[in-house]
Amino acid sequence: MNIQLPKVRILATGGTIAGQGNSPLQTMGYKAGQLSIAELLSTIPSIENIATISGEQFANLPSSDLTPTHWLKLAKRINTMFTEENDLDGLVITHGTDTLEESAYFLNLVVKTEKPVVLVGAMRPATALSSDGPMNLVNAIRVAASKHAVGLGVLVVMNDEIYASRDVTKTNANRLDTFGALDFGTVGTIDNGNPEIYYRPTRRHTVHTAFDITLLQELPRVDIVLGYVGADEVLVTALLGAGAKGIILAGTGAGHISPPAERVLREAYQKGTVIVRGSRTGTGRILPQLPHDFIAADNLSPQKARVLLMLALTLTQDPAKIQEMFFTY
Ligand code: SIN
């Protein structure tokens, strides 16, 4: 019997999953983004029995080198691919883990397909003993090929777990189980190579968002300011001078910052710079506190609030409409 295998594309961007160290024990200080996608695939036994796979080298960079320009180019490539190749069942993107959650959430808001798009990385380079890369990659391919992953938005697969891109975050600088979704948990797991989905994300994503990057060449500048003891007005003033159209406040506790920084943020808000109040704690909701308060980040991390605000500013500067987006996406 001739079984039709699912068709999965892999777009490689670099990261530790493609990293090389000097010895099997080197798990820090190695070089990320060294091996090609063809080299990575060649290490996985019987991969041709899982899916019909083709690899494409989009970049080979540590993820801290990626920019919003890469995001736009990547999203456009993905949208073109799904438009031109009807028979493509799913897509895997290999990515450095440092900024994986930001790229995943960006793509979750702008790719126009219901088919599975799965980001995956590794914490140990390809040259390390017990590298997690090959198993993570196979698991990601299995999820991308799964009909059960259709319509869930952009997903992240790491360490046998499947996460919604809105929820997931890197929680540890070194350990294999670094990814988590602290307020929510996983949407599913992969055991014996079989993805099992338990929950569906409810916030709007992919084909259900208002964002269209087709004609965009750049994204508005949005920066993040950290709240801490004794923070003065210098950072905020410098960012405004650099042309920031929006600022995310990664505030202490429920989104607080010291009086001098709060004062310049408030002045900037009154003059039209969009300010979003978030929290540096990593979990919990921030809601509007007073009339005319800054926009509230809900439970988005500061780095994800930045992604959403960059896209929101391509459509409007109206604080009420942007606030609504923070409760929609
Ligand atoms: C990177 O983000 O490119 C380096 C770290 C990693 O992939 O784990």
Side-chain angles (χ1 to χ4, degrees), residues 14-17 30 32-33 61-65 95-100 121-124 158 170 173 179:
T16 292
I17 194 167
Y30 53 84
L61 295 169
S63 69
S64 47
D65 288 16
H95 198 291
T97 60
D98 286 358
T99 66
L100 188 147
M123 289 304 290
R124 291 184 179 155
M158 288 288 292
K170 185 174 181 176
F179 279 82

Side-chain angles (χ1 to χ4, degrees), residues 35-324:
L35 298 174
S36 69
I37 185 60
E39 287 170 303
L40 295 188
L41 288 171
S42 71
T43 64
I44 300 177
S46 306
I47 196 165
E48 66 283 356
N49 298 333
I50 301 174
T52 303
I53 295 164
S54 52
E56 192 173 311
Q57 198 74 47
F58 175 83
N60 214 352
L61 295 169
S63 69
S64 47
D65 288 16
L66 296 174
T67 64
T69 309
H70 289 108
W71 282 349
L72 288 172
K73 200 171 152 211
L74 184 61
K76 287 175 191 176
R77 176 72 193 113
I78 295 168
N79 286 340
T80 307
M81 191 184 289
F82 279 109
T83 309
E84 288 176 354
E85 298 177 51
N86 255 333
D87 60 342
L88 194 61
D89 291 292
L91 173 69
V92 171
I93 301 167
T94 60
H95 198 291
T97 60
D98 286 358
T99 66
L100 188 147
E101 68 206 59
E102 292 171 59
S103 298
Y105 186 52
F106 176 75
L107 295 174
N108 188 58
L109 296 174
V110 301
V111 298
K112 296 300 169 195
T113 181
E114 299 248 46
K115 291 182 179 172
V117 174
V118 182
L119 276 83
V120 65
M123 289 304 290
R124 291 184 179 155
T127 45
L129 263 185
S130 302
S131 169
D132 50 334
M135 186 63 120
N136 284 348
L137 184 53
V138 174
N139 282 342
I141 293 168
R142 301 290 291 230
V143 173
S146 168
K147 297 233 174 314
H148 301 293
V150 171
L152 297 179
V154 173
L155 299 170
V156 170
V157 165
M158 288 288 292
N159 205 35
D160 304 339
E161 294 178 323
I162 309 167
Y163 291 98
S165 54
R166 185 184 184 278
D167 307 336
V168 71
T169 194
K170 185 174 181 176
T171 66
N172 185 292
N174 315 109
R175 303 282 86 90
L176 299 190
D177 62 348
T178 175
F179 279 82
L182 303 176
D183 273 340
F184 305 104
T186 62
V187 299
T189 55
I190 309 138
D191 294 295
N192 291 333
N194 298 315
E196 188 67 35
I197 305 293
Y198 293 92
Y199 302 104
R200 304 184 71 82
T202 55
R203 291 294 177 103
R204 283 174 176 255
H205 56 71
T206 57
V207 295
H208 305 290
T209 76
F211 307 118
D212 181 1
I213 48 89
T214 316
L215 298 176
L216 288 182
Q217 299 304 323
E218 58 183 3
L219 291 167
R221 177 174 182 138
V222 175
D223 292 288
I224 300 174
V225 169
L226 191 69
Y228 50 86
V229 171
D232 64 15
E233 68 288 350
V234 171
L235 276 181
V236 177
T237 307
L239 293 175
L240 295 170
K245 300 286 179 279
I247 293 179
I248 308 296
L249 166 57
T252 55
H256 306 126
I257 194 161
S258 51
E262 172 101 16
R263 181 179 51 76
V264 279
L265 284 170
R266 201 157 282 290
E267 283 166 10
Y269 194 48
Q270 273 153 12
K271 289 187 193 145
T273 308
V274 178
I275 314 290
V276 174
R277 191 188 289 284
S279 170
R280 70 177 195 178
T281 60
T283 51
R285 298 186 80 192
I286 306 298
L287 297 173
Q289 294 170 9
L290 300 163
H292 312 298
D293 192 14
F294 304 143
I295 293 160
D298 196 337
N299 52 16
L300 283 180
S301 65
Q303 59 272 28
K304 287 192 187 162
R306 173 177 176 259
V307 169
L308 179 54
L309 182 55
M310 285 165 123
L311 286 167
L313 287 170
T314 66
L315 297 178
T316 182
Q317 284 190 295
D318 180 341
K321 289 190 177 141
I322 296 176
Q323 182 64 78
E324 195 49 40

